[in-house]
């Protein structure tokens, strides 16, 4: 199965992708995580991506598409993928469709996590991430048991540089129209599954799983 998680920054894509990918036996691929790993390694790709990410802008398509297509061509992606943060533009969506078609695969569903924008700023500015295992926390809605320390691997938690309020505002305005265009793209393919992303994360997971039943049934 090939699934996409769509949604504005802070909608809960990463949180839900980690849970669903594990439950469904899919490989979770986050383009944001790939860019952050490349930036941490100091590669040319990482340095270039970091310039755009720190401004809250999209990394150019030619960089993003080739990185993602290389990743999904690896053997560990053959059993199925859960894409988080890709595609973000129509050219990315079209390139993905072409690449999957070349492997006799296709996107099965695009789960669109919808959250009112007034909730997103608080979600992002209160987020803490584990740089070691990737776990995601929030200082109010899902705090770690011990402040500043990952529950799963005990690493010191960090806040993302692009979660500053001024950068979050740019990220939201950058992504607003693209997200709608992508929703329209997958709606026309009959693959869009809108899901209410408010409430407890476990409730959101339940709604996503119910939508997925319609994907597998269809
Ligand atoms: P990326 O890392 O993909 O960031 P994003 O899309 O802005 O999404 P986030 O990771 O910020 O949010 P999320 O929806 O995953 O929410 P999360 O689960 O963490 O991309 C970063 C940058 O990389 C981009 O700005 C761009 O520059 C570049 N990039 C990446 N992909 C690209 C592409 N394809 N093309 C071009 N450029 C690209 O949750 C957020 C917080 O809310 C957490 O604290 C969490 O605990 C909390 N939370 C989650 N669910 C709930 C809930 N139900 N109730 C309350 N709190 C909740």
């Amino acid at each position: 199965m090939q699934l996409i998680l769509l949604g504005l920054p802070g909608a809960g894509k990463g949180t839900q992708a980690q849970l669903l990918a594990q439950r469904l036996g899919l490989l979770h691929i986050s383009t944001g995580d790939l860019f952050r790993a490349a930036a941490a390694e100091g590669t040319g790709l990482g340095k270039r991506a970091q310039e755009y990410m720190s401004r809250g802008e999209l990394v150019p398509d030619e960089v993003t598409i080739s990185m993602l297509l290389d990743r999904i061509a690896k053997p560990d992606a053959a059993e199925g993928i859960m894409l988080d943060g890709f595609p973000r533009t129509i050219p990315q969506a079209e390139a993905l469709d072409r690449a999957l078609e070349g492997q006799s695969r296709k996107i099965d569903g695009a789960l669109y996590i919808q959250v009112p924008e007034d909730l997103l700023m608080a979600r992002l500015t209160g987020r803490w991430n584990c740089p070691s295992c990737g776990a995601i926390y929030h200082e109010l809605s899902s705090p770690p048991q011990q402040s500043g320390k990952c529950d799963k691997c005990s690493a010191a938690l960090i806040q993302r540089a692009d979660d500053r309020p001024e950068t979050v505002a740019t990220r939201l305005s950058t992504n607003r129209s693209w997200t709608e265009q992508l929703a329209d793209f997958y709606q026309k393919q009959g693959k869009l599954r809108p899901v209410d992303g408010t409430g407890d994360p476990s409730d959101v997971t339940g709604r996503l799983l119910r939508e997925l039943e319609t994907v597998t049934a269809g």
Side-chain angles (χ1 to χ4, degrees), residues 6-11 13 56-58 87-90 112-121 124 165-185:
L6 282 181
L8 286 173
K13 302 182 295 297
E57 296 169 5
L58 293 188
R88 262 193 166 91
T89 66
I90 299 300
Y112 181 15
I113 307 180
Q114 296 181 305
V115 176
E117 275 198 40
D118 55 356
L119 298 180
L120 298 176
M121 179 66 81
L124 291 171
E166 61 278 17
T167 317
V168 168
T170 309
R171 284 164 60 201
L172 288 173
S173 65
T174 302
N175 282 278
R176 200 174 287 130
S177 75
W178 282 121
T179 306
E180 284 307 313
Q181 287 179 44
L182 284 167
D184 192 46
F185 179 90

Side-chain angles (χ1 to χ4, degrees), residues 150-168:
C150 181
D151 292 346
K152 294 180 185 158
C153 70
S154 300
L157 300 178
I158 55 164
Q159 284 196 292
R160 275 170 46 177
D162 61 350
D163 280 348
R164 288 189 303 266
E166 61 278 17
T167 317
V168 168

Side-chain angles (χ1 to χ4, degrees), residues 117-151:
E117 275 198 40
D118 55 356
L119 298 180
L120 298 176
M121 179 66 81
R123 283 197 185 185
L124 291 171
T125 53
R127 172 167 59 186
W128 288 85
N129 289 82
C130 176
S132 179
C133 73
I136 302 169
Y137 299 90
H138 189 277
E139 56 197 21
L140 300 178
S141 62
S142 50
Q145 283 167 8
Q146 203 181 329
S147 177
K149 214 170 174 188
C150 181
D151 292 346

Side-chain angles (χ1 to χ4, degrees), residues 101-114:
E101 204 178 311
Q103 301 170 5
S104 304
R105 296 199 283 173
K106 63 175 173 51
I107 293 298
D108 296 290
L111 297 158
Y112 181 15
I113 307 180
Q114 296 181 305

